[in-house]
Amino acid sequence: MTEPLKLRRRIPSLNWLRVFEAAARLESFARAADVLNMSTSAVSQQVKALESHLRTDLFLRGPRHVTLTDAGHAFLPAVRQSIQTVEETASSLFGETRDSTLTLQCVLVFATGWLAQRLPQFSAEHPEVQLHMSGIYHDLDYQRPGSDLQILFGPVHRSWGQCDKLFEETVYPVATQEIAAQIHSPADFMRQRLIQVSAHKINWNRLLQSQGIEDIPTHQFCFADTTEIALTLAATGNGIALARAPTTHYLVDKLDLVECLPGSGLHSDEAYYLTYRNLESLTNPAQQFRRWLIDQC
């Protein structure tokens, strides 16, 4: 049956995957049929349908048991992981633990640079709360449905619902100690590569203009998508990045970066906000997290 596989992106029946996993685990179509409350012929037919769809044999069939082919062995871990993920998510969102689940979307730099270091305290105070946290990478990510709370950065937007202001930030240049030691005036920045996160409103252009430098050659810049990438590039000597106090204090210390030209930082007129649809609709875990977070800030 095996032949060159033409990519088919969608498996028509997800039940095929559950049948495949059970047969692989039990090494028997008959035992898989008992577990799944199906007939043996139905299990065999669904496995054959999956193999036909993939155009690859997944099992070697014996008179009393089956064993996986090399392709079946390669496919099985991904199937098991997918089934486990769906079951765990369903249990946390709709099962007995749903009343203790908190789903949080968070701007990535806030999550990694500030929040992660403080979460052990929240977990210690509220061990019953199961946190599901996902990062917000782009402006439209915050519009994904399904979260109890969101931590966003920017000016307040009318689509956010209600919100609590957490804190503002100051942007300042950082680099390795060797590079920082070469910066004695704003003009010295122009002798170094500047790592730019172009999506940020407060960036190198704004900072240098505040220091009286208007003409910035394009070749001075190295561009990065996120502050985390920019700081990592700076830590390896690739140039000078802009840190965001207090959000990136932990990352700056961890990467052994130092401030360049103290006092040259620029205060942002935007801020971090905790947002939600409305206060009255928040679950008990969300209420607990909100009170804790505001106290931390």
Side-chain angles (χ1 to χ4, degrees), residues 118-234:
R118 292 164 174 80
L119 278 178
Q121 179 183 338
F122 176 78
S123 298
E125 294 176 6
H126 303 281
E128 76 285 357
V129 175
Q130 184 181 82
L131 177 64
H132 291 241
M133 183 165 63
S134 61
I136 295 176
Y137 302 88
H138 304 288
D139 290 344
L140 295 180
D141 283 351
Y142 76 87
Q143 296 181 4
R144 296 197 309 265
S147 61
D148 299 309
L149 299 169
Q150 296 177 313
I151 297 174
L152 307 175
F153 180 78
V156 176
H157 193 277
R158 59 183 176 82
S159 67
W160 287 5
Q162 296 181 5
C163 62
D164 302 301
K165 185 176 182 179
L166 301 178
F167 50 73
E168 298 173 347
E169 69 177 11
T170 298
V171 176
Y172 65 100
V174 294
T176 60
Q177 295 186 26
E178 180 181 1
I179 293 177
Q182 303 174 39
I183 308 299
H184 305 287
S185 69
D188 293 332
F189 286 127
M190 305 307 294
R191 300 183 179 90
Q192 302 291 336
R193 186 170 298 279
L194 308 177
I195 305 170
Q196 179 90 296
V197 181
S198 54
H200 290 172
K201 180 178 177 182
I202 303 298
N203 55 24
W204 272 110
N205 301 77
R206 288 280 298 275
L207 187 142
L208 291 174
Q209 287 168 6
S210 72
Q211 300 292 322
I213 299 176
E214 297 286 344
D215 188 17
I216 309 167
T218 303
H219 69 265
Q220 290 285 134
F221 293 120
C222 168
F223 292 92
D225 284 344
T226 68
T227 297
E228 293 81 1
I229 295 176
L231 293 177
T232 302
L233 289 172

Side-chain angles (χ1 to χ4, degrees), residues 8-271:
R8 299 182 181 183
R9 295 184 178 276
R10 180 174 298 173
I11 294 178
S13 172
L14 296 182
N15 194 52
W16 293 353
L17 301 181
R18 181 174 289 280
V19 171
F20 163 72
E21 190 280 332
R25 171 163 40 90
L26 300 170
E27 297 186 334
S28 167
F29 288 173
R31 288 197 292 271
D34 290 339
V35 169
L36 298 173
N37 196 27
M38 300 170 61
S39 67
T40 302
S41 61
V43 168
S44 178
Q45 290 170 4
Q46 296 214 17
V47 170
K48 186 174 289 293
L50 177 61
E51 290 177 321
S52 177
H53 178 78
L54 298 176
R55 298 179 183 175
T56 302
D57 288 326
L58 299 175
F59 290 98
L60 297 174
R61 284 132 169 106
R64 294 186 178 181
H65 69 280
V66 294
T67 58
L68 288 170
T69 63
D70 290 344
H73 276 294
F75 190 41
L76 181 59
V79 172
R80 280 182 171 164
Q81 182 62 49
S82 299
I83 293 173
Q84 181 179 354
T85 299
V86 171
E87 290 177 343
E88 289 177 350
T89 302
S91 176
S92 65
L93 293 178
F94 311 112
E96 295 178 355
T97 62
R98 68 178 298 179
D99 292 335
S100 62
T101 298
L102 170 63
T103 304
L104 172 70
Q105 287 181 305
C106 186
V107 173
L108 188 62
V109 68
F110 189 99
T112 58
W114 191 90
L115 182 59
Q117 291 70 53
R118 292 164 174 80
L119 278 178
Q121 179 183 338
F122 176 78
S123 298
E125 294 176 6
H126 303 281
E128 76 285 357
V129 175
Q130 184 181 82
L131 177 64
H132 291 241
M133 183 165 63
S134 61
I136 295 176
Y137 302 88
H138 304 288
D139 290 344
L140 295 180
D141 283 351
Y142 76 87
Q143 296 181 4
R144 296 197 309 265
S147 61
D148 299 309
L149 299 169
Q150 296 177 313
I151 297 174
L152 307 175
F153 180 78
V156 176
H157 193 277
R158 59 183 176 82
S159 67
W160 287 5
Q162 296 181 5
C163 62
D164 302 301
K165 185 176 182 179
L166 301 178
F167 50 73
E168 298 173 347
E169 69 177 11
T170 298
V171 176
Y172 65 100
V174 294
T176 60
Q177 295 186 26
E178 180 181 1
I179 293 177
Q182 303 174 39
I183 308 299
H184 305 287
S185 69
D188 293 332
F189 286 127
M190 305 307 294
R191 300 183 179 90
Q192 302 291 336
R193 186 170 298 279
L194 308 177
I195 305 170
Q196 179 90 296
V197 181
S198 54
H200 290 172
K201 180 178 177 182
I202 303 298
N203 55 24
W204 272 110
N205 301 77
R206 288 280 298 275
L207 187 142
L208 291 174
Q209 287 168 6
S210 72
Q211 300 292 322
I213 299 176
E214 297 286 344
D215 188 17
I216 309 167
T218 303
H219 69 265
Q220 290 285 134
F221 293 120
C222 168
F223 292 92
D225 284 344
T226 68
T227 297
E228 293 81 1
I229 295 176
L231 293 177
T232 302
L233 289 172
T236 55
N238 280 285
I240 306 176
L242 293 178
R244 304 166 64 179
T247 318
T248 59
H249 282 340
Y250 172 80
L251 296 174
V252 167
D253 291 342
K254 185 177 180 181
L255 293 170
D256 199 27
L257 295 167
V258 297
E259 184 175 2
C260 302
L261 197 64
S264 63
L266 196 61
H267 185 71
S268 174
D269 55 1
E270 299 179 329

